[in-house]
Amino acid sequence: MFLNCHSFHSLRYGTLSIDDLISQALALGIEELVLTDINTVTGIYEFKKKCERNNIRPVVGVEVRKGSELYYITIAKDFRGLSEVNRMLTSYNCDGVDLPLQPDLNDNFIIYPLDNFPKNLRNNEYIGIREDELNVLIRPELKRLISKMVVLCPVTFSTKKEYNLHRILRAIDNNLLLSKLPEKEVCRKSEYFRSVDSIHRIYRHYPEIIENTQKLLSQCNFEFAFSTPRNRKHYTGTKADDLKLLTRLAYAGLERRYGRNHEQAKQRIEKELKVIDELNFSGYFLITWDIIRYSNSMGFMHVGRGSGANSIVAYCLGITDICPIELDLYFERFLNLNRKSPPDFDIDWSWQERDIILDYIFNRYGKEYVAFCGTNVEFKYRSIIREVGKAFGLPKEELDEFSKYPERVFRDDIVKQVQKYGKLLEKFPNQRSMHSCGIIISEEPLTNFTSLEMPPKGFPIVQWDMHVAEEIGFEKFDILSQRGLGTINDTVRLLEEKREIKVNIKETTISKDEAKCNEYLSEGRTIGCFYIESPAMRGLLRRLKCDNYKVLVAASSIIRPGVAQSGMMREYIFRHNNPDKFEYFHPVFEKQLGETYGIMVYQEDVIKIALHYGGVSAADGDILRRAMSGKGRSLSALQKVKDDFFASCREQGHPEELSKEIYRQIESFAGYSFCKAHSASYAVESYQSLYLKVYYPLEFMVSAINNMGGFYRTEVYIHEARMSGGKILNPCVNKSEYETTIYGDEIYLGLMLLEKVESRIAQLIPQERRRNGDYKSMEDFIKRIPIGIETLQTLIFIGAFRFSGVPKNELLLKARILLGDFKPEKRFQTLFEEPIKEYKFPELKRNVFEDAFDEIEILSFPVSCTPFDLLQTKYRGTVMAKDLTAFHKKEVKMLAYLISRKHVPTKRGTMFFGTWIDANGNYFDTAHFPDCLEKYPFQGGGCYLLLGIVEVDFHFPTITITKMAKMPFMADPRYSHDEEKKYEAQQRIKEDISLTFRAPYPQEHEIGLPRKKMF
């Protein structure tokens, strides 16, 4: 009877989850349901699975609306019917084709509302009659249509509170106050479940309508095979030809990578090809290879990472650049015959080139067959408060206060209502968006399975997420982007352009081990380098004295928060520095994990121990790892593997106590570990960045500035460039480009860094200069660039006309005389055709630090001097960063500039780790515990006087702060007569803050990794 059920996937309309719909139907003994969400099929696959699990017959369709107007409800007769509706909605969403008022959908039943049905109804078309419309059926023109009528009892909510929630959702969707919400935007108050018997009673005078409804439902059947693979099956056209091509390419790559006579590599290729063929994965490998081949032809750099790098076939095809033999990587971690869920390749490109790769994929494999996975963006708490509060009419000031301090108890009745309904909205989908990287390439047109939508980024998305994609048989291709590769690419390009130096960045000596790079690594001199520049990572590198690629691979894994939580990071540091102060507690750990001192650092290590100690297969070891990491779906499967592990240990004569300890370690670690191939891929890219930083520091830092995506703010990279010998110069209209650029050792900051100069003007300035030559003066500049007085003043204040030799004060007066209050579009070029009248300006003296304060106002940091130069005090501390290791357990007083701080939860409350530079420009780190922070909190960016005790932990000094005070800047000389503005500039100095929300790490004594033999 229920032909029109909405779930909360009817965005900002329905209030029931799929689980709610099914549980309520079960409670009322309802045996069949039709899910018809508004313009979407997002929930149909979850709906089918859960209905069948609860012995409810699922039927699916779509409620088609344009805005708030209901056109009709489509109910699919079978799975083909869905594709008809999907194609229609896709044309509407992606191509702007209007929705038809009477659609031609032969494999669907169409149900029109009583107030909007066509004159001539086709065989598969009906009119839906609601209970409050039964009284109008006595009208002759309707009475004759009873044979074409069905029961329409929509379901949108279940309780009065949910009806109110529905109204709030509609107000949010329409950006209206609840009190202003029109009735047509809201569902009727009768749209809730009731028993089938009660519906029969309501429609008892119209048995034909009940019969029509039952007959319609009986003709609908939603059959779907979840386990069937649905990706594009073949690259060449047939399975046999795919395997033939893959084999040929793999062996050609084998010769290129290993030479002709590498028996171990040959055997591994044969083993992998057999598994790939059995699992029908040849096409998936070849499509990935094809994408990489195109990328290489364009000269792009990519990084193949993740578990796909465990495959030697992927390595030989050039998909990845990690040798799985060298690093002892298990193919089973990526692909094995027991693995039920499909794996995928993770491939990174520069953020500047990714869209070109995407265009190729969509064009090469057909837009009907390619789309991004969708994601459901949920209502988040702060946004809920704002959205619901707006609907209730709360002013912005109150909403700001409320969202900042949601835990406060508010007494206002309206605020209580906002809290009450806001809580109900948590976990509700709010809008559909695009998965950041997951792409589907389908064998059949995607509209067979979903409607497509077109988000602002311009690539179509399916209406369900990656988890549904996996369940219904799609393996996604992860096409990722990152700024680290952009920095590497830009550095190589800049070197060729500016210095005619060609760097083959993929050369092994560059991407693995190089003496000077190893020295930088061990000292943590890695600012700007992909993945290894954060304070935590630099501290880890110094603690390990990391001086080679393999230790860097391990560091890339153990820096992960979960690994630290398992205790493995702390133990690894100890054993690395004290190799003679521990014993391997079983020979298997020494033999298999000797490289990492018997510690399971990688996910692959779980498989190794399960295989070599437990005696289970590598494939079962991977099942164990996946189950423990929460990726396994079945607790019973985990229990079986656990039982098999212990049974196998007993068969091999291992003591029960030892087996339990090993299983405990696996259990505590498997959920947190990092894939070794992933770590190795990251380590290669980190090394490539480091090589460029070591040998070409200025070009590298310029590229880091331009890619805007590192751990730190731009100011830190500019500081790093200065420390490397670069002369940092403010933007200049005759020298600067849109991006930061370099001439020898002179680095001109890019016009893009001037926030008050709109992007269009910042790009036009160098374009016009290239077309018509340098600007001769500010007057010449004004003639050629359509610029307003505000933007011109910003350029003057930052010194962009210093080439003219005219002081800033005089330039400002001239600018006001020439432009006045005219807007650029109203200014006529003829104004400047006659010679400009010369004025004699009074000579105005400028304080030496005025430029620095101008820079702070425009860029948020000084360029012409250091922050230390602007302090009222001349004191610079008693100790410098380079000497800290000599002061272990001693108190030091330092003056330092704050770079970043990281929030860390502890059992005693919030603490912070700070990163600073001293007056010499060198970095050091501090720890701020909760009791200290109460008395001496951070007060924003700037310079601080620090007092604390130095703790040297495995070569790495940290100062535990006992007292701290922010040091005042000198009065701003530009406002010497304005008491209020004298000290405003200091508030513009920034800091980087990382917030961490997780459970506190356990204490060292809670981890309990044994350092003695146990056999």
Side-chain angles (χ1 to χ4, degrees):
M1 292 294 110
F2 296 96
L3 303 179
N4 186 206
C5 297
H6 304 111
S7 75
F8 60 18
H9 293 298
S10 293
L11 299 178
R12 301 184 180 187
Y13 193 96
T15 66
L16 301 167
S17 67
I18 301 291
D19 286 332
D20 292 336
L21 278 173
I22 291 168
S23 62
Q24 289 181 29
L26 271 176
L28 291 167
I30 295 166
E31 295 178 351
E32 54 189 0
L33 277 182
V34 187
L35 180 66
T36 53
D37 277 317
I38 297 170
N39 290 3
T40 186
V41 295
T42 303
I44 63 170
Y45 299 104
E46 179 191 358
F47 177 72
K48 177 175 172 62
K49 273 197 165 183
K50 289 182 174 176
C51 276
E52 290 177 346
R53 207 176 292 153
N54 290 280
N55 297 315
I56 293 174
R57 193 171 78 86
V59 178
V60 296
V62 176
E63 181 178 298
V64 178
R65 286 179 178 251
K66 187 173 182 181
S68 59
E69 186 181 356
L70 171 60
Y71 276 24
Y72 35 80
I73 298 151
T74 71
I75 300 177
K77 295 178 184 177
D78 53 30
F79 194 71
R80 287 174 304 173
L82 269 177
S83 63
E84 286 185 331
V85 181
N86 288 336
R87 283 194 293 273
M88 179 183 77
L89 288 173
T90 298
S91 294
Y92 174 62
N93 294 333
C94 299
D95 304 320
V97 177
D98 215 352
L99 292 169
L101 295 174
Q102 187 174 16
D104 189 12
L105 303 172
N106 296 323
D107 292 316
N108 284 267
F109 291 109
I110 315 295
I111 300 169
Y112 296 95
L114 184 60
D115 59 1
N116 185 27
F117 63 89
K119 190 173 181 182
N120 297 310
L121 291 167
R122 299 170 183 147
N123 289 337
N124 62 332
E125 296 181 328
Y126 293 85
I127 302 166
I129 303 298
R130 296 169 179 261
E131 60 181 283
D132 56 0
E133 294 170 340
L134 287 169
N135 59 342
V136 302
L137 297 188
I138 56 170
R139 285 160 44 186
E141 69 273 18
L142 294 177
K143 202 167 185 179
R144 63 183 176 79
L145 291 171
I146 284 176
S147 64
K148 298 291 289 180
M149 291 179 180
V150 292
V151 174
L152 188 59
C153 290
V155 175
T156 302
F157 62 93
S158 60
T159 62
K160 184 181 177 183
K161 188 194 278 188
E162 280 183 8
Y163 176 71
N164 292 336
L165 182 65
H166 162 76
R167 293 187 72 249
I168 290 166
L169 284 166
R170 299 308 301 134
I172 290 171
D173 192 47
N174 287 278
N175 197 23
L176 291 171
L177 294 174
L178 272 169
S179 56
K180 303 283 187 185
L181 191 64
E183 203 59 40
K184 65 172 186 167
E185 292 290 342
V186 182
C187 77
R188 302 191 195 187
K189 291 185 178 179
S190 59
E191 294 193 13
Y192 56 87
F193 275 121
R194 70 283 307 273
S195 70
V196 174
D197 287 344
S198 68
I199 291 173
H200 281 203
R201 280 197 301 277
I202 292 165
Y203 288 83
R204 64 186 179 278
H205 298 303
Y206 296 95
E208 193 176 356
I209 293 179
I210 293 173
E211 190 181 322
N212 292 342
T213 309
Q214 290 170 333
K215 187 178 176 185
L216 183 153
L217 274 172
S218 69
Q219 295 176 70
C220 297
N221 193 20
F222 179 26
E223 290 296 329
F224 184 79
F226 280 89
S227 57
T228 305
R230 304 187 187 278
N231 267 47
R232 182 181 168 107
K233 289 179 182 174
H234 309 302
Y235 176 76
T236 60
T238 69
K239 179 180 176 179
D241 285 346
D242 275 0
L243 180 61
K244 190 176 175 183
L245 176 59
L246 184 63
T247 303
R248 182 165 60 79
L249 292 170
Y251 277 98
L254 172 71
E255 190 170 328
R256 187 174 63 254
R257 296 281 200 186
Y258 297 99
R260 294 188 175 185
N261 302 308
H262 199 296
E263 277 306 313
Q264 188 183 358
K266 279 184 186 176
Q267 287 171 15
R268 177 143 177 176
I269 278 189
E270 286 170 12
K271 171 189 161 187
E272 286 192 17
L273 286 172
K274 188 171 183 295
V275 174
I276 291 166
D277 184 45
E278 284 189 48
L279 291 174
N280 299 311
F281 252 75
S282 296
Y284 185 85
F285 270 78
L286 287 170
I287 290 169
T288 309
W289 162 78
D290 175 60
I291 296 166
I292 298 302
R293 180 176 61 166
Y294 172 75
S295 171
N296 291 339
S297 74
M298 296 293 289
F300 297 163
M301 186 175 174
H302 77 278
V303 172
R305 57 179 174 84
S307 62
N310 287 51
S311 165
I312 196 170
V313 172
Y315 180 55
C316 290
L317 264 61
I319 296 170
T320 63
D321 284 310
I322 302 300
C323 171
I325 294 174
E326 178 192 0
L327 293 173
D328 194 21
L329 303 178
Y330 282 39
F331 179 60
E332 288 80 3
R333 168 64 186 86
F334 178 59
L335 203 59
N336 62 69
L337 296 174
N338 293 335
R339 184 163 180 172
K340 302 300 180 192
S341 59
D344 50 49
F345 283 113
D346 297 336
I347 306 174
D348 285 334
W349 277 272
S350 163
W351 63 285
Q352 300 150 319
E353 294 162 354
R354 178 177 179 247
D355 281 0
I356 299 170
I357 297 296
L358 292 174
D359 280 333
Y360 172 75
I361 294 169
F362 276 85
N363 293 328
R364 170 72 173 82
Y365 294 99
K367 295 190 176 178
E368 290 182 18
Y369 301 90
V370 185
F372 270 90
C373 281
T375 57
N376 281 323
V377 179
E378 295 175 347
F379 280 101
K380 298 291 190 297
Y381 190 79
R382 285 195 176 186
S383 67
I384 291 174
I385 294 301
R386 290 192 178 279
E387 297 276 18
V388 177
K390 267 170 40 184
F392 276 95
L394 289 179
K396 182 181 181 301
E397 297 73 28
E398 267 187 67
L399 288 173
D400 289 342
E401 176 81 1
F402 193 5
S403 62
K404 275 183 194 172
Y405 307 106
E407 68 284 348
R408 281 192 195 168
V409 177
F410 291 89
R411 294 181 182 174
D412 184 286
D413 283 343
I414 292 179
V415 172
K416 282 183 179 176
Q417 292 283 87
V418 171
Q419 284 178 315
K420 172 179 154 186
Y421 287 106
K423 197 156 185 65
L424 291 177
L425 275 184
E426 287 180 19
K427 302 296 181 186
F428 263 50
N430 180 22
Q431 57 191 5
R432 260 181 303 281
S433 184
M434 187 168 129
H435 187 280
S436 60
C437 58
I439 282 184
I440 289 166
I441 303 177
S442 175
E443 176 72 12
E444 304 173 42
L446 278 165
T447 49
N448 287 0
F449 308 98
T450 178
S451 304
L452 301 177
E453 296 180 4
M454 187 68 77
K457 288 192 177 178
F459 294 105
I461 61 169
V462 297
Q463 289 186 324
W464 20 258
D465 63 22
M466 58 180 280
H467 302 295
V468 174
E470 185 178 310
E471 284 185 349
I472 66 176
F474 286 105
E475 301 103 15
K476 70 184 189 326
F477 295 78
D478 279 347
I479 308 297
L480 302 112
S481 69
Q482 47 149 290
R483 292 178 185 269
L485 279 174
T487 300
I488 292 170
N489 278 340
D490 285 356
T491 307
V492 171
R493 179 187 55 76
L494 205 56
L495 285 167
E496 191 165 352
E497 178 188 313
K498 297 286 185 178
R499 296 172 59 182
E500 297 183 350
I501 294 172
K502 288 192 176 185
V503 178
N504 178 9
I505 200 62
K506 288 200 171 187
E507 189 183 321
T508 309
T509 52
I510 291 174
S511 58
K512 289 288 178 68
D513 277 315
E514 197 278 337
K516 198 172 177 185
C517 291
N518 288 341
E519 182 188 325
Y520 271 56
L521 262 185
S522 66
E523 295 169 357
R525 294 164 64 187
T526 54
I527 298 265
C529 298
F530 173 76
Y531 197 69
I532 56 172
E533 65 167 333
S534 71
M537 191 64 178
R538 289 187 297 106
L540 176 59
L541 294 173
R542 287 178 68 180
R543 285 182 176 96
L544 295 172
K545 282 201 169 176
C546 174
D547 62 356
N548 65 78
Y549 168 71
K550 286 198 174 179
V551 175
L552 178 60
V553 174
S556 299
S557 183
I558 63 176
I559 194 66
R560 305 284 287 183
V563 185
Q565 188 162 347
S566 75
M568 301 297 178
M569 179 168 83
R570 189 76 199 157
E571 188 63 18
Y572 181 90
I573 294 169
F574 173 83
R575 294 186 183 191
H576 180 78
N577 283 283
N578 300 283
D580 56 343
K581 291 185 180 178
F582 73 94
E583 296 174 344
Y584 292 95
F585 61 91
H586 192 277
V588 164
F589 280 72
E590 184 171 11
K591 184 178 178 184
Q592 297 300 326
L593 306 182
E595 186 183 293
T596 54
Y597 315 107
I599 297 170
M600 284 179 282
V601 167
Y602 312 110
Q603 290 174 347
E604 287 84 351
D605 294 342
V606 174
I607 302 173
K608 283 183 185 179
I609 296 305
L611 173 65
H612 296 287
Y613 175 85
V616 301
S617 69
D620 279 345
D622 189 53
I623 291 173
L624 185 70
R625 178 198 64 78
R626 286 176 62 76
M628 286 180 173
S629 65
K631 294 179 180 176
R633 306 280 176 175
S634 167
L635 287 174
S636 59
L638 173 58
Q639 187 61 47
K640 182 180 183 306
V641 175
K642 180 179 179 180
D643 292 343
D644 290 347
F645 175 81
F646 279 104
S648 182
C649 289
R650 282 191 292 272
E651 279 176 25
Q652 293 177 76
H654 294 314
E656 191 77 9
E657 185 187 350
L658 176 62
S659 298
K660 282 181 179 176
E661 168 57 25
I662 289 171
Y663 191 82
R664 182 191 75 80
Q665 287 188 33
I666 291 173
E667 201 166 30
S668 70
F669 179 63
Y672 304 120
S673 53
F674 205 24
C675 168
K676 186 176 184 180
H678 205 89
S679 295
S681 302
Y682 271 6
V684 167
E685 187 179 343
S686 300
Y687 223 106
Q688 288 166 334
S689 333
L690 182 60
Y691 178 87
L692 294 171
K693 177 185 171 69
V694 168
Y695 287 99
Y696 310 104
L698 299 187
E699 288 79 7
F700 179 77
M701 294 319 303
V702 165
S703 298
I705 292 165
N706 289 334
N707 278 276
M708 307 169 295
F711 185 88
Y712 304 96
R713 61 190 183 277
T714 299
E715 176 188 3
V716 179
Y717 300 119
I718 290 172
H719 167 74
E720 203 50 22
R722 184 183 282 116
M723 292 292 287
S724 300
K727 295 174 185 170
I728 311 301
L729 299 165
N730 279 319
C732 167
V733 295
N734 273 342
K735 287 284 189 178
S736 290
E737 300 293 335
Y738 178 70
E739 294 183 329
T740 297
T741 192
I742 184 169
Y743 304 92
D745 62 354
E746 294 185 337
I747 295 171
Y748 280 85
L749 298 183
L751 295 164
M752 65 184 283
L753 297 178
L754 305 176
E755 288 181 18
K756 292 181 181 177
V757 177
E758 63 176 292
S759 178
R760 179 181 61 85
I761 294 293
Q763 289 173 341
L764 179 61
I765 291 169
Q767 287 170 5
E768 163 62 21
R769 186 181 73 227
R770 280 190 289 274
R771 279 195 301 264
N772 296 307
D774 284 359
Y775 302 102
K776 298 179 182 67
S777 61
M778 184 182 72
E779 292 85 346
D780 180 44
F781 178 85
I782 294 170
K783 284 182 183 180
R784 293 160 62 180
I785 301 292
I787 197 167
I789 186 65
E790 296 279 333
T791 306
L792 186 60
Q793 283 183 167
T794 298
L795 291 172
I796 292 169
F797 279 126
I798 205 64
F801 298 103
R802 59 188 179 276
F803 68 89
S804 66
V806 181
K808 282 186 186 180
N809 316 59
E810 192 172 318
L811 288 171
L812 286 166
L813 288 170
K814 278 187 178 181
R816 290 212 165 269
I817 291 168
L818 291 171
L819 292 187
D821 295 322
F822 285 109
K823 292 184 179 177
E825 62 270 17
K826 293 185 178 178
R827 192 174 70 248
F828 296 97
Q829 291 285 343
T830 52
L831 183 65
F832 299 101
E833 283 176 2
E834 293 179 14
I836 293 169
K837 190 174 179 182
E838 290 293 327
Y839 295 91
K840 187 169 175 61
F841 294 98
E843 189 177 338
L844 299 172
K845 289 186 179 178
R846 279 178 64 82
N847 183 291
V848 68
F849 290 115
E850 280 191 46
D851 285 344
F853 282 96
D854 283 342
E855 290 152 7
I856 291 172
E857 195 162 304
I858 294 168
L859 296 168
S860 303
F861 55 88
V863 175
S864 53
C865 68
T866 75
F868 297 96
D869 298 326
L870 301 177
L871 292 173
Q872 292 180 16
T873 180
K874 300 297 178 189
Y875 180 73
R876 295 296 179 261
T878 57
V879 176
M880 289 297 167
K882 64 183 174 59
D883 303 316
L884 281 174
T885 51
F887 286 83
H888 181 49
K889 297 293 183 184
K890 293 179 182 174
E891 186 176 73
V892 295
K893 188 187 286 187
M894 298 185 73
L895 190 80
Y897 182 63
L898 181 58
I899 295 298
S900 67
R901 57 185 166 108
K902 181 180 181 180
H903 160 271
V904 178
T906 73
K907 290 181 179 176
R908 289 164 48 204
T910 289
M911 72 170 288
F912 277 93
F913 287 110
T915 299
W916 311 76
I917 58 169
D918 66 11
N920 292 336
N922 296 316
Y923 300 89
F924 68 94
D925 292 80
T926 56
H928 305 251
F929 287 94
D931 51 351
C932 175
L933 284 168
E934 275 185 35
K935 295 178 187 174
Y936 306 105
F938 285 93
Q939 296 177 47
C943 294
Y944 288 72
L945 186 62
L946 307 170
L947 185 71
I949 308 294
V950 178
E951 302 283 343
V952 180
D953 178 46
F954 297 113
H955 332 292
F956 179 67
T958 302
I959 304 173
T960 301
I961 296 300
T962 52
K963 290 184 180 179
M964 176 171 76
K966 188 171 179 182
M967 304 303 284
F969 274 10
M970 65 176 67
D972 187 340
R974 303 171 308 164
Y975 300 108
S976 55
H977 302 296
D978 190 328
E979 290 300 320
E980 282 187 18
K981 290 193 172 183
K982 265 185 184 180
Y983 301 100
E984 259 186 18
Q986 186 166 358
Q987 306 310 313
R988 295 179 183 271
I989 297 287
K990 293 183 179 178
E991 58 175 325
D992 293 319
I993 306 175
S994 304
L995 296 176
T996 309
F997 301 100
R998 54 164 169 74
Y1001 287 162
Q1003 299 299 302
E1004 198 165 346
H1005 67 271
E1006 297 174 289
I1007 293 160
L1009 279 178
R1011 292 177 184 166
K1012 297 287 184 186
K1013 290 181 182 178
M1014 287 187 64
F1015 58 93

